[in-house]
């Protein structure tokens, strides 16, 4: 079993839809949870970062962490065509020098 | 503020050759991490350097090595290239120190193709 599991998709939604992206993990030592967005031919870009459990909101993006279920989510409200990208979850333990990534979910938002 | 710069952007090498990739982190950042991205395995951690010292290493063979210079610039080297080394190699810059590397800023990567 991989440490971090993420459904690769692809996920296709119409503009304005609410998108839910998810990852599960097996390592209970993970304390830091990140979401990155990667456009084609670009490096990943940090979207959101959460420490331990709870919710965090930033504009149209909401990140949720449920450590009891080892499950994290990213919600995108009012999705836009510019949100079309690959979304990667990443996690780190307390030492935090290495990020463990999911394989990414490819999202396509059509206008 | 300039971002993370990786050079070259594209490389084509032959099996058995060696290659050196370069990364210049964001000014003031002292930690540099390297990742390999492939369609099959996704993003995998190679190693991390802070103040010229390797702090952490992923599960890659010894053919993969790196170093960091006093100005925080980093290089990674892959010797005896194999076809399976074809990948996008990403460098991530982080303030470092005691801070967890959760605010990693990635470069655009070097696309290595081994033929």
């Amino acid at each position: 079993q991989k440490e971090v599991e993420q459904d690769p998709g692809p996920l296709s939604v119409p503009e304005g839809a609410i998108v839910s992206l998810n990852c599960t993990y097996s390592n209970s030592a993970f304390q830091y949870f990140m979401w990155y967005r990667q456009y084609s031919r670009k490096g990943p870009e940090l979207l959101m970062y959460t420490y331990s459990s709870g919710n965090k909101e930033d504009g149209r993006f909401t990140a949720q962490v449920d450590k009891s279920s080892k499950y994290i989510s990213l919600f995108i409200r009012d999705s836009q065509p510019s949100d079309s990208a690959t979304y990667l979850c990443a996690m780190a333990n307390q030492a935090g020098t290495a990020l463990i990534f999911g394989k990414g979910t490819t999202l396509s938002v059509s206008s | 503020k300039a971002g993370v710069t990786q050079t070259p952007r594209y490389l084509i090498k032959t099996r058995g050759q060696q290659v050196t990739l370069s990364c210049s982190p964001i000014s003031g950042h002292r930690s540099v991490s390297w990742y390999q991205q492939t369609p099959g395995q996704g993003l995998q951690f190679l190693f991390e350097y802070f103040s010229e010292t390797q702090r952490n290493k992923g599960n890659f063979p010894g053919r993969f090595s790196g170093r960091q210079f006093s100005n925080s610039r980093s290089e990674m080297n892959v010797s005896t290239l194999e076809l399976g080394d074809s990948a996008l190699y990403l460098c991530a810059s982080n303030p470092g120190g005691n801070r967890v590397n959760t605010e990693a800023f990635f470069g655009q990567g070097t696309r290595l193709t081994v033929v």
Side-chain angles (χ1 to χ4, degrees):
Chain A
Q1 180 191 11
K2 284 188 70 70
E3 280 192 287
V4 180
E5 300 277 3
Q6 184 176 10
D7 186 338
L11 183 60
S12 296
V13 301
E15 184 176 356
I18 296 175
V19 176
S20 172
L21 304 166
N22 311 293
C23 289
T24 59
Y25 63 96
S26 57
N27 190 341
S28 57
F30 288 145
Q31 296 283 349
Y32 300 90
F33 304 91
M34 284 71 65
W35 285 96
Y36 284 83
R37 177 175 62 195
Q38 186 174 24
Y39 291 114
S40 180
R41 301 185 184 281
K42 299 285 189 182
E45 167 196 16
L46 180 65
L47 280 176
M48 311 255 326
Y49 144 58
T50 309
Y51 173 71
S52 195
S53 285
N55 295 357
K56 189 170 188 178
E57 189 173 318
D58 184 2
R60 297 184 296 111
F61 299 90
T62 299
Q64 289 185 351
V65 175
D66 182 349
K67 290 189 70 179
S68 63
S69 302
K70 296 190 177 67
Y71 187 89
I72 71 170
S73 301
L74 177 71
F75 297 95
I76 307 174
R77 290 182 299 280
D78 188 26
S79 56
Q80 303 295 309
S82 59
D83 295 328
S84 299
T86 296
Y87 289 79
L88 300 146
C89 62
M91 307 179 187
N93 58 22
Q94 197 66 33
T97 57
L99 300 181
I100 309 301
F101 283 85
K103 287 192 177 180
T105 299
T106 300
L107 171 66
S108 176
V109 181
S110 55
S111 57
Chain B
K1 189 186 257 190
V4 180
T5 303
Q6 290 189 247
T7 56
R9 289 291 311 279
Y10 302 93
L11 264 179
I12 301 176
K13 289 286 189 179
T14 305
R15 270 182 302 175
Q17 286 186 313
Q18 73 165 14
V19 67
T20 299
L21 313 181
S22 179
C23 172
S24 292
I26 292 171
S27 177
H29 284 192
R30 296 161 65 192
S31 166
V32 173
S33 301
W34 288 90
Y35 291 82
Q36 180 195 67
Q37 188 174 29
T38 60
Q41 298 299 319
L43 265 155
Q44 294 184 283
F45 173 75
L46 281 157
F47 28 67
E48 188 246 3
Y49 286 87
F50 173 73
S51 292
E52 302 178 66
T53 301
Q54 187 180 87
R55 275 203 302 199
N56 200 352
K57 187 178 190 307
N59 189 26
F60 277 82
R63 300 185 297 106
F64 292 82
S65 63
R67 58 178 176 169
Q68 186 180 33
F69 303 95
S70 58
N71 62 358
S72 294
R73 190 177 71 85
S74 177
E75 290 181 347
M76 69 163 281
N77 183 277
V78 188
S79 62
T80 319
L81 284 165
E82 300 177 0
L83 294 179
D85 297 333
S86 295
L88 180 66
Y89 289 89
L90 290 158
C91 164
S93 167
N94 192 284
N98 292 324
R99 295 172 62 174
V100 174
N101 284 348
T102 54
E103 297 176 71
F105 295 87
F106 283 85
Q108 295 202 75
T110 294
R111 172 76 62 187
L112 171 65
T113 301
V114 182
V115 298

